[in-house]
Amino acid sequence: MFKFFKKQPPKEGEGRERLKKELFDYRKCVDHGFPSKPSALAYDPKLNLLAIGTKSGAVKIYGAPGVEFSGFHENDVSVVQMFFLQEQGRVVSVCSDNSLHLWEVNLHNGKSVLDEVKEYVLPESKQTKVSTSCLSLDGDQVLLGTEGGSIYILDIASFTLLDQFIHQDVVMQNVPDDFKVNPGAVEAIAMHPTNPNKFLIGYNRGLIVLWDNKESNADKTYNATQQLECLAWNRNGDEFMSAHQDGSFIIWSTSDSEKPKEPATTPYGPFPCKAINRLQWKTAKSDPFIIFAGGMPRASYGDRHTLSVMQGENHIVFDFTSRVVDFIVMCRADQCDATDDRTEYDEPHALVALVEEELVVIDLDTCDWPTIQLPYLGSIHSSAITCSHHVSNVSNQLWQKIIDAGHAQNKQYSQREWPIKGGKSLSKDPATKDMLLTGHEDGTVRFWDASSVTLRLLYRLSTVSLFAESHMPENNSNGADEEEWPPFRKVGTFDPYSDDPRLGIQKMSMCPLSETLVIAGTAGQVIILQMEREDREQEVKTTKVNIVSDRDSFVWKGHEALTLREGDIKFAAGFQPTCVMQLYPPAACTALAVHSEWQIVAAGTAHGFGLFDYVQKKEVSTRCTLNATDLLGTSETPMSRRKSLKKSLRESFRRLRRRRSERRNRDDKTKEQKITDTQHIEQHGTEATSETAGAAIDSKPVERVVEARTADDSMSSMVRCLYFADTFVVTGGTHNPSLWAGTNGGQVFIYNLTVPTDKRSADTVMCTLAKEIKLKHHAPVISLAVIDGKARVLPEALEVQHERAKAPDMESAHSVVIISEEQLKSFALPSLKPKWKFKLTALDGSRIRKVAFVNFRSKSADNYSEFDIACLSNLGEVSVYGITTLRQQMVAPAIRKEDINGISSFVFTKEGQGLYLHSPSEFTRVTLCPRFVIEPICMLELRDGMRPEPQAEAFDTGVSKQEDGTEDSQEYDTNDITQGLCDSARPDSPGDITVDSVREIVSENNENVNASTTVVSQTTNVTISVESPSTPELSPQSEQADITALNNSRNVDDDTKAEIERKEPKEGSKHLVDKNLTDSDEQAVIKQMTKHVDAGIAAMTVTSVDAVTAP
């Protein structure tokens, strides 16, 4: 009963609530990496932008580094094809559900964003299913080829189908009698390069028709004997090429339809080959380029994913490790601004290949066609990511050393600059240099620049060369492959295969101030590395640390440890290993800590932990955490605490007996209710609330987790966290170095350390057990930290010396915060008396998965900051807790609870940001602190008049959804608008409209003002427009000047000052109401409308930046 009198944290006032808004705010910022499951590619040569569509419905546009726009389709669709409307900043996407979408890059709040503005759904059936599509030469129409063989034409301006469409029967009427058979679906459409009225129609069974759309007639017909895959024009418009399923391509002359200009060519024949599914034919001053995907011999190389480039005698087959989705060829002729003087040659200079797992750009200007290094869209999952580590505020010296080491590794890349430079980044230069380290399955560590929007690869470190089993020379096999036909060349970085699973990286820790890196792997290997500017050749020694040395009966049945290479090993400039700590048993490392000032490393596994001195390269201490029942070692590392079949069956029978006993006690309704509540708590982990003391006693199991834990659980020995701290462990008057180790069974071991200062290389580091904490609920301890008297987390090693942090308060008492999966709890030091706790699992049934102690800084006040605890639960929710009283400050949903990989990969930064794997190839960046927000802020500038004016629809939008999903559009002219103004407002008024009558209409019934506001392309521009011969057409740039003129119109005649009461539109109305216009603005609008109506024609454009749709 005394627990009801327990001290409670003080209540927070209004000032604290205001401060919370300055400190905490969850926001999703940006995605890093390569889009998952890409399905479409498009390129705008004028604006120099690249667009990628995915199977999940994402549309992403990229330009210069830092320029990025993204959008998502509302429905669950896959993007099949995309087209840029050149120089307009607009993209058309064709989706798998037979829908087409128009996207625009528009200006919002000072930056450009991607908006979906229009949609059209083609009725889906077997005959109308879109099989291919093509943009017209002038960019005004999209030609949609269907499975039924017909072609529909979508008008871009209205975004509806034209009445004109090309039926297959009409095409076949103009075909010679020899070809009059069912040609199959439309497989390809290719626009004539010089005549916008003509295009090629390629049917599945090999029939090709040159169609004149102006005359609605087939000019020529060409028949290939093989199934057609794709078509490509020559720039001169006199020749074209067709690619086929048998791996061949044919060159045709437009003037001769009887036979090909050249016989069919099978580049990799004569044996059966796979289909050439994509083809480009580009001219150059020397020899033309023929670029195609596929066509490999089926028997020998049918499993290869290739892209072949042929130019005269030059012939290279670029070999990828994943399927080729699409490719585009960047040509100087397309990027040329001159339209009248058409250049004679295409002059291709770069090849952009989109494959399933990465983007590869090939330099066609440089001899031997090398690849260009990517400034973004890097393949972060080139090998599966096994762990990640964020390093904040890297010093300039270390940053430059890593940059130089990375440049030395990239000599095989082209020296050309990144060719895609569209848009303009408005983001400021980052204040600090931050780095993200990713550990991979193949034993490599990649260093990424995580300071800004673009995640750029800086340096790659491999641990493979250290071990004998994995060091296999490959020079002979590569030389043999180069002499074979076809001439393959491996490109790209994606390589999902690992030579040895024991090489996988499990934990990493880096001290940027001492330039020390520690890597721990799957086979118990812990590698200590130092940054070096020069290449070195040296021998690396390993030290075996036996964790189970005091358990004679232990038997290890898992994998063996990796064997270190003997003799001198040559290491390139960069991080070079100094020594290796090999744990035994060689199980996967589960916890790692390094203190670079004391120069010691602690590493833990499922069996215990060991402390290692990497100056003297010797073991300091070990601790086996195994119970008596855990002496049979296995290599299994899952964190399941229910591995015994007997134990599971025993618990099941106990539950059955408990339920039977409950049925026998039905007479006692109160007791039955209590039992039911208790059972509900045990099964669902929810908190039982009751006003009676008896109910409070029965709700005791709420303090336990969903699944009951026992002290002899089979995985309770796993070490989950390790921590170094200089604090008060034994007495309150003396502080000394200490090591803290938390286990899966809720135990915390505290060791006193004696670290010599004068003779560091000679004197021995001493380690003795001081105290031990056992949590009653036996929940896994996943993190802990020591707090000084000023509520600050103790700084990391060397931070005080380098003025990165304030010196800790050693005069006041310290406390320690221990965080388990189900609760946060603080203890006073050195007495270990409990102070505060927060029971997360008892509150909502969730468990803590990731924790970080974050220094949150105020958004507006530069001189205020505080330490708090950031957590991520297994439900995908991020939360923040005060470090002193552990009161919850914020909670927000961040990740879907079903996304287990995303939750397990989450990593916090010191500033309150977070990174997690949204997909195997994408990191998503979030932030909990409004002061630190990294998101793309960019601008896309368009030339005047490049984007067509949106079609204005007065009064009613005239758009209604039909049953088939199409939109029915009505148009009105000037007379209709004038008549509508009169009829809708004054049904009994005479035919003539005077200035006075218009004033009365507006003042008596302002609903007409609302009715005359229309939706234009679903953007933020709201237009009322009736064109006048005397009124010039307004461009988007001149609309802003109109707004300024309206805002300056304050001197209005008394006759025109009609008071307008705002009236909300009725339910179901599609009109927009401008809530930003002031009364003076409205009066100015009335005045101008009055003058134009008096002249006979009304013309006015009102632009609102923040127009909102009425409910």
Side-chain angles (χ1 to χ4, degrees):
M1 129 180 171
F2 291 101
K3 64 182 179 180
F4 294 106
F5 301 100
K6 190 179 297 183
K7 182 181 177 182
Q8 299 295 326
K11 293 184 178 181
E12 297 177 344
E14 295 181 0
R16 179 60 185 176
E17 293 298 327
R18 289 193 297 268
L19 186 57
K20 283 182 183 180
K21 297 179 181 179
E22 293 286 323
L23 293 172
F24 315 116
D25 182 26
Y26 173 79
R27 184 191 303 183
K28 180 180 176 182
C29 299
V30 68
D31 291 334
H32 298 297
F34 182 74
S36 178
K37 299 179 181 179
S39 56
L41 181 69
Y43 176 65
D44 187 339
K46 302 293 186 181
L47 296 179
N48 209 351
L49 296 174
L50 187 74
I52 296 177
T54 68
K55 291 182 179 180
S56 60
V59 176
K60 296 180 179 290
I61 299 178
Y62 302 93
V67 177
E68 178 180 337
F69 312 100
S70 59
F72 293 89
H73 293 86
E74 292 183 359
N75 299 327
D76 186 15
V77 295
S78 173
V79 181
V80 179
Q81 279 184 282
M82 289 195 302
F83 308 100
F84 266 108
L85 306 182
Q86 292 190 10
E87 284 194 280
Q88 298 182 24
R90 301 201 291 176
V91 180
V92 176
S93 60
V94 184
C95 297
S96 56
D97 63 344
N98 249 29
S99 65
L100 290 91
H101 305 259
L102 180 63
W103 301 81
E104 285 184 354
V105 178
N106 293 317
L107 188 65
H108 289 291
N109 299 326
K111 64 177 182 178
S112 298
V113 296
L114 185 64
D115 296 325
E116 181 184 354
V117 295
K118 290 184 179 180
E119 176 186 3
Y120 182 83
V121 181
L122 188 68
E124 188 172 358
S125 66
K126 188 176 181 180
Q127 296 297 317
T128 60
K129 177 66 176 176
V130 176
S131 57
T132 187
S133 55
C134 179
L135 186 68
S136 63
L137 195 62
D138 52 12
D140 293 337
Q141 298 171 344
V142 178
L143 308 179
L144 304 172
T146 62
E147 297 286 350
S150 301
I151 295 178
Y152 297 90
I153 303 176
L154 180 83
D155 179 59
I156 296 294
S158 62
F159 220 69
T160 56
L161 288 183
L162 298 179
D163 294 336
Q164 174 194 9
F165 73 96
I166 305 169
H167 200 276
Q168 187 184 72
D169 295 339
V170 178
V171 177
M172 298 307 295
Q173 289 175 2
N174 299 279
V175 172
D177 295 339
D178 297 342
F179 301 155
K180 285 189 175 180
V181 293
N182 185 6
V186 178
E187 195 70 32
I189 304 174
M191 295 300 302
H192 196 285
T194 59
N195 190 341
N197 295 319
K198 294 184 178 182
F199 52 85
L200 290 171
I201 306 174
Y203 292 95
N204 180 265
R205 296 182 180 176
L207 177 65
I208 306 171
V209 177
L210 179 59
W211 183 260
D212 189 335
N213 198 38
K214 185 177 182 180
E215 302 295 335
S216 296
N217 187 33
D219 277 4
K220 299 285 183 179
T221 54
Y222 315 87
N223 190 28
T225 57
Q226 292 293 331
Q227 180 174 322
L228 182 71
E229 291 290 332
C230 56
L231 298 168
W233 279 99
N234 188 297
R235 187 173 180 81
N236 56 26
D238 297 331
E239 299 172 327
F240 67 90
M241 190 179 292
S242 62
H244 301 276
Q245 193 182 32
D246 64 344
S248 65
F249 59 82
I250 305 173
I251 298 177
W252 303 82
S253 173
T254 55
S255 58
D256 186 6
S257 61
E258 295 183 359
K259 61 179 181 179
K261 182 178 179 180
E262 298 179 11
T265 302
T266 306
Y268 307 117
F271 300 105
C273 296
K274 299 190 72 175
I276 296 177
N277 46 40
R278 277 172 176 78
L279 175 70
Q280 292 281 345
W281 190 10
K282 301 296 181 181
T283 58
K285 291 182 180 179
S286 54
D287 295 317
F289 283 82
I290 299 176
I291 305 172
F292 58 90
M296 288 291 105
R298 287 184 178 275
S300 304
Y301 305 107
D303 58 342
R304 298 286 185 99
H305 309 288
T306 61
L307 191 61
S308 301
V309 181
M310 298 190 301
Q311 185 198 25
E313 296 182 355
N314 296 327
H315 187 176
I316 294 179
V317 180
F318 294 102
D319 188 8
F320 303 93
T321 52
S322 58
R323 182 180 64 87
V324 178
V325 176
D326 201 355
F327 68 89
I328 57 112
V329 182
M330 301 175 62
C331 301
R332 290 187 173 87
D334 297 333
Q335 296 173 327
C336 181
D337 293 334
T339 55
D340 298 333
D341 301 331
R342 181 178 171 82
T343 56
E344 184 179 356
Y345 302 103
D346 292 300
E347 291 298 332
H349 62 88
L351 172 63
V352 181
L354 176 68
V355 297
E356 278 190 332
E357 303 295 346
E358 60 185 328
L359 185 80
V360 179
V361 181
I362 299 168
D363 180 10
L364 298 180
D365 275 349
T366 306
C367 181
D368 205 27
W369 300 333
T371 56
I372 301 175
Q373 191 174 12
L374 303 176
Y376 51 81
L377 288 174
S379 179
I380 62 173
H381 66 312
S382 50
S383 176
I385 296 176
T386 52
C387 64
S388 55
H389 176 64
H390 188 272
V391 183
S392 301
N393 200 8
V394 179
S395 64
N396 293 330
Q397 295 81 359
L398 177 59
W399 187 272
Q400 191 58 47
K401 291 178 182 179
I402 294 175
I403 293 290
D404 295 340
H407 284 328
Q409 297 175 339
N410 300 331
K411 293 181 179 179
Q412 74 277 15
Y413 288 106
S414 171
Q415 299 302 313
R416 276 187 59 186
E417 293 183 354
W418 180 244
I420 302 170
K421 305 176 183 178
K424 180 181 179 182
S425 176
L426 304 179
S427 301
K428 298 180 181 178
D429 293 336
T432 60
K433 293 180 173 62
D434 299 336
M435 197 175 295
L436 178 68
L437 278 62
T438 55
H440 298 266
E441 192 179 38
D442 61 353
T444 60
V445 177
R446 286 172 169 81
F447 294 68
W448 304 86
D449 179 4
S451 309
S452 60
V453 175
T454 58
L455 193 69
R456 180 170 58 97
L457 180 64
L458 301 177
Y459 169 63
R460 177 179 177 272
L461 171 67
S462 177
T463 62
V464 177
S465 59
L466 274 173
F467 304 103
E469 295 92 338
S470 306
H471 185 71
M472 296 180 296
E474 300 177 355
N475 296 332
N476 296 336
S477 60
N478 288 340
D481 290 341
E482 291 177 359
E483 299 176 0
E484 292 182 355
W485 179 261
F488 290 110
R489 180 194 292 175
K490 276 279 188 185
V491 289
T493 60
F494 179 72
D495 185 8
Y497 306 107
S498 175
D499 296 331
D500 194 332
R502 296 176 294 174
L503 292 169
I505 309 298
Q506 295 295 323
K507 296 291 179 180
M508 295 179 294
S509 183
M510 178 178 169
C511 176
L513 300 177
S514 64
E515 301 180 355
T516 303
L517 174 66
V518 181
I519 302 172
T522 305
Q525 70 272 24
V526 181
I527 308 170
I528 295 94
L529 306 99
Q530 288 288 143
M531 169 59 71
E532 300 290 345
R533 281 190 175 274
E534 304 293 335
D535 297 353
R536 288 189 179 182
E537 188 171 353
Q538 59 185 1
E539 183 179 4
V540 180
K541 294 184 178 180
T542 181
T543 303
K544 185 177 179 180
V545 177
N546 190 350
I547 296 176
V548 294
S549 57
D550 58 340
R551 308 294 174 95
D552 297 334
S553 59
F554 179 83
V555 179
W556 171 247
K557 295 183 178 180
H559 51 236
E560 296 181 357
L562 289 165
T563 304
L564 205 67
R565 288 177 58 195
E566 297 180 356
D568 292 342
I569 306 173
K570 186 175 182 181
F571 299 102
F575 280 101
Q576 299 176 358
T578 59
C579 57
V580 176
M581 166 188 178
Q582 179 59 58
L583 299 175
Y584 182 83
C589 184
T590 58
L592 182 68
V594 58
H595 199 287
S596 54
E597 184 178 355
W598 303 336
Q599 295 177 304
I600 51 179
V601 171
T605 66
H607 309 93
F609 59 90
L611 184 62
F612 182 74
D613 179 1
Y614 61 84
V615 173
Q616 301 181 15
K617 298 181 176 57
K618 69 176 185 179
E619 171 190 330
V620 176
S621 177
T622 60
R623 172 64 184 252
C624 180
T625 56
L626 292 173
N627 295 319
T629 57
D630 297 333
L631 295 181
L632 285 179
T634 64
S635 61
E636 298 175 353
T637 57
M639 290 169 52
S640 171
R641 290 179 296 276
R642 286 285 169 220
K643 300 171 73 75
S644 171
L645 178 60
K646 291 182 179 179
K647 191 179 297 183
S648 178
L649 291 173
R650 188 183 302 116
E651 291 295 330
S652 298
F653 282 114
R654 286 176 180 174
R655 282 195 293 268
L656 288 174
R657 292 194 210 103
R658 194 181 306 121
R659 290 169 184 169
R660 288 171 184 164
S661 64
E662 290 169 2
R663 294 192 196 102
R664 297 190 191 101
N665 297 329
R666 289 181 181 177
D667 295 337
D668 190 352
K669 295 182 179 180
T670 305
K671 187 175 181 179
E672 181 185 1
Q673 183 64 35
K674 294 177 184 178
I675 295 173
T676 307
D677 291 342
T678 305
Q679 189 179 19
H680 177 75
I681 292 165
E682 291 178 351
Q683 292 179 356
H684 301 281
T686 59
E687 184 178 3
T689 58
S690 176
E691 297 180 357
T692 63
I697 296 173
D698 286 338
S699 64
K700 215 173 184 181
V702 79
E703 298 181 3
R704 303 170 68 90
V705 294
V706 178
E707 181 182 357
R709 295 183 175 91
T710 57
D712 60 345
D713 207 331
S714 58
M715 295 303 293
S716 62
S717 61
M718 179 185 293
V719 178
R720 294 292 298 276
C721 67
L722 292 164
Y723 178 70
F724 289 108
D726 186 359
T727 185
F728 306 94
V729 175
V730 180
T731 63
T734 305
H735 60 88
N736 57 281
S738 60
L739 169 64
W740 301 62
T743 70
N744 221 33
Q747 288 183 295
V748 178
F749 301 97
I750 308 173
Y751 284 82
N752 267 335
L753 301 178
T754 303
V755 181
T757 55
D758 297 334
K759 300 179 181 180
R760 180 65 183 84
S761 57
D763 294 345
T764 304
V765 177
M766 303 298 293
C767 177
T768 56
L769 180 64
K771 294 183 179 181
E772 181 179 343
I773 302 174
K774 292 183 179 181
L775 301 179
K776 292 181 180 179
H777 53 283
H778 303 294
V781 178
I782 57 177
S783 182
L784 53 86
V786 175
I787 315 300
D788 67 6
K790 295 182 179 180
R792 295 181 303 199
V793 178
L794 296 186
E796 294 184 1
L798 302 176
E799 283 189 340
V800 176
Q801 292 88 324
H802 289 79
E803 298 181 352
R804 295 286 186 90
K806 295 181 180 179
D809 180 16
M810 291 299 181
E811 302 298 329
S812 305
H814 288 188
S815 61
V816 60
V817 177
I818 298 177
I819 303 173
S820 67
E821 281 191 355
E822 65 172 80
Q823 74 175 17
L824 300 86
K825 195 168 186 177
S826 62
F827 299 85
L829 290 178
S831 63
L832 294 180
K833 180 181 178 181
K835 296 176 64 177
W836 307 103
K837 66 179 175 180
F838 185 91
K839 300 181 180 180
L840 184 69
T841 304
L843 182 67
D844 58 9
S846 61
R847 299 179 185 176
I848 300 174
R849 287 288 180 254
K850 300 290 180 178
V851 181
F853 292 84
V854 177
N855 186 13
F856 285 93
R857 297 183 63 186
S858 174
K859 181 180 180 180
S860 56
D862 294 337
N863 58 350
Y864 182 81
S865 65
E866 68 178 38
F867 280 93
D868 294 288
I869 306 170
C871 300
L872 174 72
S873 72
N874 63 334
L875 302 181
E877 295 179 340
V878 290
S879 52
V880 179
Y881 302 89
I883 205 165
T884 53
T885 60
L886 305 182
R887 186 189 292 274
Q888 190 176 74
Q889 305 294 311
M890 186 204 76
V891 61
I895 312 174
R896 295 181 299 106
K897 63 181 180 181
E898 297 84 8
D899 188 2
I900 300 175
N901 291 330
I903 295 174
S904 62
S905 63
F906 198 99
V907 55
F908 283 105
T909 72
K910 291 183 178 180
E911 297 82 15
Q913 300 182 64
L915 292 156
Y916 69 92
L917 284 173
H918 174 67
S919 68
S921 61
E922 286 178 292
F923 271 111
T924 295
R925 184 192 290 262
V926 300
T927 182
L928 303 179
C929 181
R931 185 182 180 92
F932 298 101
V933 179
I934 296 179
E935 58 184 5
I937 303 175
C938 42
M939 179 75 70
L940 181 63
E941 298 178 354
L942 304 179
R943 294 194 299 178
D944 293 344
M946 292 311 302
R947 182 178 292 182
E949 289 295 324
Q951 291 187 348
E953 301 157 349
F955 297 101
D956 192 358
T957 60
V959 179
S960 60
K961 288 281 185 180
Q962 298 179 352
E963 293 181 359
D964 57 2
T966 62
E967 294 180 349
D968 186 18
S969 177
Q970 300 177 5
E971 298 180 356
Y972 302 94
D973 57 13
T974 304
N975 296 329
D976 294 333
I977 295 173
T978 307
Q979 186 66 29
L981 273 172
C982 175
D983 295 342
S984 62
R986 301 289 290 270
D988 56 344
S989 63
D992 297 333
I993 299 180
T994 65
V995 174
D996 294 333
S997 65
V998 172
R999 291 172 186 161
E1000 291 173 0
I1001 291 169
V1002 176
S1003 61
E1004 291 179 8
N1005 187 2
N1006 66 333
E1007 188 174 352
N1008 297 300
V1009 177
N1010 296 336
S1012 62
T1013 309
T1014 63
V1015 181
V1016 179
S1017 306
Q1018 300 180 14
T1019 64
T1020 56
N1021 292 335
V1022 181
T1023 306
I1024 310 170
S1025 178
V1026 182
E1027 295 184 0
S1028 171
S1030 62
T1031 304
E1033 185 176 359
L1034 297 176
S1035 65
Q1037 289 76 9
S1038 64
E1039 291 177 0
Q1040 186 64 32
D1042 291 337
I1043 302 173
T1044 306
L1046 280 175
N1047 292 334
N1048 295 332
S1049 300
R1050 294 291 183 255
N1051 300 323
V1052 186
D1053 297 338
D1054 293 337
D1055 295 337
T1056 59
K1057 289 184 178 180
E1059 182 179 358
I1060 300 176
E1061 296 180 358
R1062 295 190 178 274
K1063 184 176 181 181
E1064 294 295 331
K1066 297 179 181 180
E1067 184 71 17
S1069 173
K1070 294 183 179 179
H1071 304 304
L1072 298 182
V1073 179
D1074 184 3
K1075 295 187 177 181
N1076 280 346
L1077 290 180
T1078 63
D1079 293 340
S1080 301
D1081 294 335
E1082 292 170 345
Q1083 292 165 3
V1085 173
I1086 297 167
K1087 181 178 179 180
Q1088 294 192 21
M1089 289 181 62
T1090 302
K1091 292 180 180 179
H1092 285 293
V1093 172
D1094 191 25
I1097 299 174
M1100 229 282 301
T1101 301
V1102 180
T1103 305
S1104 171
V1105 177
D1106 295 319
V1108 294
T1109 308

